[in-house]
Amino acid sequence: MLLLVTLAEVGGAQSYVASLLPALVGRFDVTVAAHGAGPLRDAAEAAGVRFVPLANVRRAVNPVRDLAGLLELVRLLRRERPDILHANSSKAGVLGRIAAALTGVPIRIFTAHGWAFAAHSGLAARGYRAADRLMRPLTTATICVSEREREAGLAARTCDDDATVVIPNAVDVGAAPQTVSTRQPPLLVTVGRLK
């Protein structure tokens, strides 16, 4: 199984992949690929998973670098020959699914942590929506992190109803400090990534 994320930096997709690693390691031969250094690379190493640094897969749209990124992923998939590609983040999702289809990877999963077309407006939103629609037939399964993301994907025709599931992000409450609360139920406050 190859887990693919655009960047290894601090972020939601990276935390999601890092939290999957302990559950996958005993059941799959796992490789993680992403650009740059960061917590995801450290999490892969801590889980005993091989991390492959990507040189050309980056967040910004750049036709020359994106083509180089696609070729880099094709070479990686030919070398690794995974049965499953699990792509996370928009850029990795598009390039990874194309590369996986070209190299015959049978299972191509994309997790939508937030649709790129919903985060932009105008021409950029239309371009991202078109790209995700083109990827729909290349996708075996789409995982959405919330029902709202699933509904947005279905409405935009970027995923199929029968091949899309919701697996909500969660917090490991067992790892949280245990305190005595006077509130029933206790108040939980979550702070997202501050950037």
Side-chain angles (χ1 to χ4, degrees):
M1 166 184 274
L2 179 71
L3 294 168
L4 177 63
V5 184
T6 305
L7 304 172
E9 69 180 10
V10 173
Q14 295 82 355
S15 296
Y16 172 88
V17 170
S19 70
L20 287 176
L21 293 176
L24 296 175
V25 164
R27 300 174 61 196
F28 297 92
D29 179 14
V30 181
T31 300
V32 175
H35 174 76
L40 180 58
R41 182 180 208 148
D42 299 338
E45 291 172 3
V49 170
R50 195 161 58 87
F51 181 87
V52 176
L54 300 173
N56 295 298
V57 177
R58 309 279 179 95
R59 181 174 287 134
V61 175
N62 177 316
V64 173
R65 185 175 296 275
D66 293 344
L67 179 58
L70 176 62
L71 295 174
E72 179 179 28
L73 291 174
V74 165
R75 285 190 301 274
L76 175 63
L77 292 171
R78 282 188 177 146
R79 186 175 66 241
E80 297 294 321
R81 306 191 57 73
D83 295 311
I84 302 169
L85 170 79
H86 183 180
N88 295 268
S89 68
S90 296
K91 178 64 69 78
V94 170
L95 296 179
R97 286 179 283 177
I98 293 170
L102 290 172
T103 58
V105 176
I107 300 172
R108 299 173 300 273
I109 301 168
F110 173 62
T111 296
H113 298 274
W115 297 101
F117 64 80
H120 295 84
S121 60
L123 185 60
R126 288 192 297 276
Y128 287 122
R129 185 179 299 109
D132 279 323
R133 283 180 181 166
L134 290 171
M135 294 305 104
R136 190 175 77 188
L138 303 181
T139 309
T140 308
T142 301
I143 299 171
C144 295
V145 298
S146 70
E147 189 59 44
R148 181 177 172 183
E149 293 303 324
R150 182 179 187 276
E151 290 169 6
L154 293 173
R157 298 187 319 271
T158 58
C159 58
D160 293 317
D161 185 41
D162 61 340
T164 303
V165 298
V166 174
I167 302 176
N169 281 336
V171 174
D172 180 5
V173 294
Q178 301 298 314
T179 61
V180 177
S181 174
T182 58
R183 297 178 188 232
Q184 294 298 325
L187 176 65
L188 175 67
V189 177
T190 304
V191 178
R193 177 174 73 155
L194 300 174
K195 184 170 183 182

